[in-house]
Amino acid sequence: MKLYQALKETLSGVPLVLPYPTDLSKHIKDPNKDYYVSLYQYSEKHKRLIEERGSFKGIDDTTTDRLFFDIDSANLQEAKEQTIALIHRLIDDGFEADSIQSSFTGKKGFSLQIQINERLNPVQFKTITKTLAKDFS
């Protein structure tokens, strides 16, 4: 099944629906603007709906092959310490260190992303990430 992902320039932008995976850097027109990529991937049916509506509204039967964690705190040092602790937890739970991508998200935190070898629906995603990140902001 062919899958798609969405890229938006700014939060209020109209989603650009692209094949998944795609080199998103080719679609960044202005590096000074914020861009957002969908966590979930979409089917051909979803692609048509997004393009018709200009939004994701009402689409909930999506899947993802990534785990994503957002660690924020008013105290940046605390967010850093929690992020490092979560990385150690993920490694202890069997994730390869090289599979964990970390990013500074600006001002108050960090994000972690892990590519996985299975597809998760939103309920599965939330259950797994909440279980793994319990005790963290």
Side-chain angles (χ1 to χ4, degrees), residues 1-18:
M1 167 171 57
K2 189 168 186 174
L3 294 172
Y4 298 89
Q5 62 189 337
L7 178 69
K8 287 175 63 173
E9 180 183 299
T10 73
L11 283 174
S12 61
V14 175
L16 175 62
V17 183
L18 304 164

Side-chain angles (χ1 to χ4, degrees), residues 76-86 110 136:
L76 186 57
Q77 183 61 34
E78 182 180 317
K80 180 181 175 184
E81 291 168 5
Q82 288 186 357
T83 301
I84 292 168
L86 179 54
F110 300 86
F136 297 104

Side-chain angles (χ1 to χ4, degrees), residues 66-77:
R66 295 175 281 177
L67 297 178
F68 184 85
F69 302 90
D70 186 28
I71 308 294
D72 290 331
S73 175
N75 179 320
L76 186 57
Q77 183 61 34

